[in-house]
Amino acid sequence: MPAGSTPAGRRSRHLLLGACLGAAGAVAIALQGGILDPQPAQASSVWSRGTFPVVNFAGYTSHFGTRTGPWGAVEPHYGLDIAAPMHSPIRNWWGGVVESVINDGTCGLGLVIRSGEYEHIYCHLSGSVSGGVYRSGPVAISAGQRLRTGELIGHVGVSGRSTGPHLHWGMRFRNEWVDPALVLRAMARARGGAV
């Protein structure tokens, strides 16, 4: 049996050193399928396995950090807004388990998916939520469900606090908000693309 093919070998391979986004020092990050090192200068090839969440990309409409919000107030923005035509497919960034289905006045309809020590958040989806199940077209997702990387998880909408069709894509690492643009840069570098 080749080295690293046993469960113990896979675990030790997954506990290699990775760097934490936005924090000093290094931490071990185990995700399904490998280690993520999101530092753009040190992006490893494993980052190429991620999926850009919006199929019909039309541009970025709001960055991570402080911004002037849609109603004129300066506010923190814990994600990246990605514009796309209404009902454009949304794909899961990385394989993981659904932590929660959201239905509120801010995020609107959304999902929180846990992948190792990362949580990725998808807001302003179209569709409906009933009995804790998010539905949109052929999609039916509930808490505890396992999802694959690249799997269809919903469609772009304007639910919640939104002024136009887009996906608000948020990300936390160890409960700290992370700029998804850093993740996208690491993915592009891992694929040999420009950032």
Side-chain angles (χ1 to χ4, degrees), residues 62-63 65-77 161 163:
S62 193
H63 64 280
T66 304
R67 69 168 188 178
T68 300
W71 288 272
V74 174
E75 62 188 18
H77 187 240
R161 188 170 169 250
T163 59

Side-chain angles (χ1 to χ4, degrees), residues 117-137:
E117 297 192 64
Y118 283 86
E119 288 176 301
H120 28 124
I121 296 95
Y122 304 82
C123 293
H124 311 308
L125 308 182
S126 62
S128 64
V129 171
S130 178
V133 178
Y134 166 71
R135 296 182 194 285
S136 180

Side-chain angles (χ1 to χ4, degrees), residues 69 74 88 111 113 133 176:
V74 174
S88 295
L111 300 168
I113 301 169
V133 178
E176 296 290 327

Side-chain angles (χ1 to χ4, degrees), residues 28-59:
I29 305 168
L31 284 180
Q32 291 179 348
I35 300 301
L36 291 183
D37 179 356
Q39 297 295 336
Q42 304 168 11
S44 68
S45 63
V46 74
W47 278 102
S48 66
R49 298 179 196 161
T51 298
F52 186 77
V54 176
V55 173
N56 299 316
F57 174 76

